[in-house]
Each structure stands twice: as structure tokens, then as C-alpha cells.
Amino acid sequence: MDRLQLEHSEVDQVNRLLDRHADELWPLDTEEALHRAAVLAHQLPERTQDRVAAFRLEQTSGVLCISGYKVDQDRLGPTPSHWRDRPDRSPAHREELALVMLGSLLGHPFAWATQQDGRLIHDVVPIKGHEHEQLGSSSEALLTWHTEDAFHPLRGDYLTFACLRNPYAAATTVGYADHLDLPDGAREVLMQERFGIRPDESHLAKNNSEPGMDAFDDINEMQRNPDLVAVLFGDPAQPYIRADPYFMIVPDGDQEAQWALDALVKAMDNAMFDMVLDGGDFCFIDNYRVVHGRKPFTPRHDGTDRWLKRINLTLDLRKSRSARPVAAVRAIH
Ligand SMILES: NC(=[NH2+])NCCC[C@H](N)C(=O)O
Ligand SMILES: O=C(O)CCC(=O)C(=O)O
Ligand SMILES: [Fe+2]
């Protein structure tokens, strides 16, 4: 993992940029605001721009954490008890804007019509009743490692988090896909289209407010009948990954594929390490080179819980153009 510790003068520069433009850039999830944020991102500290560019060019590890920014905890108020409870303008608008600007140095923010009601900026908070789910909103169960939105061919190139608070130091887990210790022959099998990845539960109608939406028909179809895809791809010596074992299946009788997948799970389980995000940390995860998950924690449900903002980024909006109703809509349907 790579860390960039912002110096005082750099934090001041970021804060001045946010002071100048926070009101102008609300609402933030419009095409105009995203465009403007991408232009303003060039006023972020040069060292930050440089490190993010190195990360994008794969000159660094697949995880970058930018620290040093201070979150005004009083301004935030209580952690919401559900992602749905977001007011029009989030009390964390400043941090959302910072995340969008930093993300714009890397790619283009996009959303899923089938996740968190199509919102561009997600809230990751523990939700009462979800404790043992395989959802970002769970808490007491281990969130098993995964590529974000692994089931979908249009999944993001990067996953980004702004940590607003994490009082009990719940750990995000991370694992690199390159240099995994796999048994002979497993890598070759994992590079073949022999694996089905079903949508994770955050994309199911029951976890959204408009269950009747057409987009859920496609999710249901992918659920019933996932395409067979490769788990490793790119350079065999340093492969990219696409996996979410908890939601994966192997066709009946393909024992070799099952063996290779089991071997991958074992190797990755051994390679995972903890990354504790703290308030003010901005974290960038390369969704091709790295998988992530989260260790169990005990939620409080009293307004003081852990709170992350999350945005998916793509390097190429054109790939999803036919899945978005108009060019200016960032949600994939
Ligand atoms: N192995 C898993 N738990 N995969 C699903 C990950 C959680 C999902 N991305 C969410 O936002 O809730
Ligand atoms: O809460 C975390 O640290 C990570 C949760 C997660 O996997 C996600 O939000 O995609
Ligand atoms: Fe995730």
C-alpha cells in the first residue's frame, strides 16, 4: 500500500479550494458539477496530482491512501443510520467534493441504477438488521474479499473512499492479485472463461427503493444465468483479477475450475492485509489489481458509527454509453 501524507501547506491549499467552490458545486451529482470539478482538480497540490498519476500509470501498488486532511466532526453531526437518510446537501459535502476532485484525477465517477437508488456518491454505514449480510452496510460478519461489482462487465476501474470517521478502527482488508502463490496449473485455468459471478446483494431489488425498475430484470437474469468469465486476465505473469468468490459458481462437473478457484481463495486469504481508514483519509483502490473486504466490527447504532463515502470510477465512459439513457447520465441501467 502507498501512503501520501499531506503537509500542512497542502491541506491548506485543499481547504482553500473547497472554500472557494463548495457552494458553486452543489448539487455535485450533475454533469455540470462533475465537469467543473474535473477542471478544478488541476488546482489540487502538485504532489497529490503527481502521486495519483503514478498510481493510474501502475507505477505504484494498487492501493493509495492520502492522509492529513481534517474532518470537522461537529459539522458532520451524527452518522446516518441508513444510506437512504441522506439530506439533499450532505453535511459532508466538502469531503464529497474533495473525493470527486481527487477521483477526477484518476477517472470518471459513475453510478449503478440498481445500487443505493442510483446515487453517484454512496454512504457506507452499518445498518441495523444488515449485521450479518454480505453488504457494505453489514458489520458483525466478515465482508469476504471481492472485486467491486465483479459480476458486471462495466465494473469500475477504481473504487474510492473518503473516510469521515472510524472510531473503533474497523479494518478494510486488501489483497494484491499479482504475485499470488498459486499451485502449478491453477493460473492457466483461472485465465479461462469457466467461472460464473452472480450479482452481489447490493444490486438486488430488495435492497433498493424502487424494486419495480426495469434494470432489475437484467440483474435477475445475471443471477439465474451468469456468463462464464475468466477470473485472471491480462499478463499471466502479473494478472488482473475479477472475482467475488462468495457469489461465484462453477458449472457442474468442472472440477478443475473448482480446484483452481479454491486455490485462488486460499492464496488470497493468505495474502490479505488490514488497512484501517481514519477520518480524513482518502483511499483509492485499483479494482483490477486489488481485491478488498472488511473485518467484522461491533456497530453502535447511536450516531457515532463508522462512516465512509464511496464513489466508483471508470476510465472509459464510452463503454457504458449504451447502458446509460443519455450521455449526461452517469448511472448504468
Ligand atoms: N463478497 C461480497 N460481500 N461482495 C459484495 C460486496 C458489497 C457490495 N459492494 C456493497 O456495496 O454492499
Ligand atoms: O467498509 C469497507 O471498508 C469496505 C466495504 C466495501 O467492500 C465496499 O464498500 O465496497
Ligand atoms: Fe466492496
Side-chain angles (χ1 to χ4, degrees):
M1 173 193 144
D2 287 85
R3 193 178 283 276
L4 170 62
Q5 180 68 41
L6 297 178
E7 289 167 11
H8 287 303
S9 61
E10 293 171 323
V11 175
D12 289 347
Q13 189 179 340
V14 171
N15 276 317
R16 283 196 303 272
L17 191 58
L18 296 173
D19 288 341
R20 277 201 299 276
H21 299 287
D23 288 336
E24 171 199 345
L25 284 160
W26 185 80
L28 189 49
D29 58 358
T30 66
E31 203 57 19
E32 296 78 359
L34 294 172
H35 171 172
R36 183 83 179 120
V39 173
L40 292 170
H42 299 288
Q43 295 178 34
L44 286 165
E46 179 160 349
R47 207 166 61 104
T48 302
Q49 296 191 47
D50 182 78
R51 289 293 287 272
V52 175
F55 173 76
R56 177 163 38 78
L57 296 170
E58 302 190 15
Q59 292 165 359
T60 65
S61 81
V63 187
L64 172 64
C65 187
I66 302 179
S67 307
Y69 176 88
K70 296 279 173 294
V71 179
D72 178 349
Q73 293 294 327
D74 293 336
R75 166 170 49 79
L76 285 193
T79 302
S81 53
H82 197 289
W83 53 258
R84 231 174 244 135
D85 295 344
R86 180 193 208 286
D88 259 2
R89 178 165 170 158
S90 171
H93 175 64
R94 255 181 111 77
E95 289 73 31
E96 292 185 343
L97 174 55
L99 187 61
V100 166
M101 285 199 294
L102 287 164
S104 301
L105 297 173
L106 206 50
H108 310 283
F110 75 96
W112 301 100
T114 52
Q115 195 182 42
Q116 294 207 5
D117 291 349
R119 286 183 197 159
L120 187 75
I121 303 173
H122 297 161
D123 287 285
V124 178
V125 293
I127 296 176
K128 217 178 226 165
H130 290 193
E131 287 85 353
H132 298 282
E133 302 290 327
Q134 281 299 321
L135 290 168
S137 51
S138 64
S139 47
E140 294 188 36
L142 171 75
L143 191 67
T144 60
W145 61 259
H146 55 278
T147 301
E148 196 70 2
D149 307 304
F151 71 100
H152 207 290
L154 298 171
R155 70 197 173 283
D157 291 279
Y158 307 102
L159 176 65
T160 70
F161 294 113
C163 180
L164 302 177
R165 59 171 64 117
N166 186 10
Y168 29 69
T172 305
T173 57
V174 211
Y176 300 123
D178 46 5
H179 308 116
L180 277 176
D181 188 16
L182 292 168
D184 283 350
R187 190 178 309 265
E188 290 68 25
V189 176
L190 291 164
M191 293 190 84
Q192 293 163 6
E193 295 174 350
R194 292 163 74 165
F195 306 88
I197 312 179
R198 291 207 225 82
D200 72 69
E201 304 231 333
S202 68
H203 289 268
L204 301 189
K206 68 171 183 186
N207 283 317
N208 282 275
S209 307
E210 244 190 274
M213 204 173 45
D214 286 349
F216 291 115
D217 295 345
D218 292 336
I219 295 288
N220 292 336
E221 178 53 26
M222 290 188 252
Q223 186 88 331
R224 276 191 300 269
N225 195 14
D227 286 341
L228 294 183
V229 300
V231 163
L232 299 180
F233 58 101
D235 178 3
Q238 215 179 312
Y240 295 131
I241 191 165
R242 172 185 187 179
D244 188 345
Y246 188 90
F247 293 100
M248 287 173 70
I249 51 160
V250 157
D252 276 348
D254 192 348
Q255 284 173 14
E256 195 181 39
Q258 189 64 57
W259 163 78
L261 183 58
D262 291 345
L264 174 77
V265 170
K266 200 166 153 213
M268 190 61 91
D269 282 347
N270 287 328
M272 296 297 291
F273 61 91
D274 287 0
M275 175 178 67
V276 176
L277 297 177
D278 196 5
D281 286 349
F282 294 88
C283 177
F284 300 86
I285 292 180
D286 188 326
N287 202 35
Y288 275 52
R289 299 159 68 202
V290 164
V291 297
H292 67 281
R294 188 184 55 226
K295 291 261 179 82
F297 65 93
T298 306
R300 299 171 174 166
H301 302 307
D302 65 353
T304 69
D305 271 313
R306 182 175 188 262
W307 186 5
L308 310 183
K309 294 281 178 179
R310 178 178 76 188
I311 303 178
N312 285 114
L313 303 176
T314 179
L315 283 172
D316 187 359
L317 277 170
R318 294 178 182 201
K319 278 195 195 135
S320 62
R321 179 58 191 85
S322 65
R324 293 179 291 113
V326 295
V329 164
R330 294 285 178 108
I332 295 178
H333 285 249

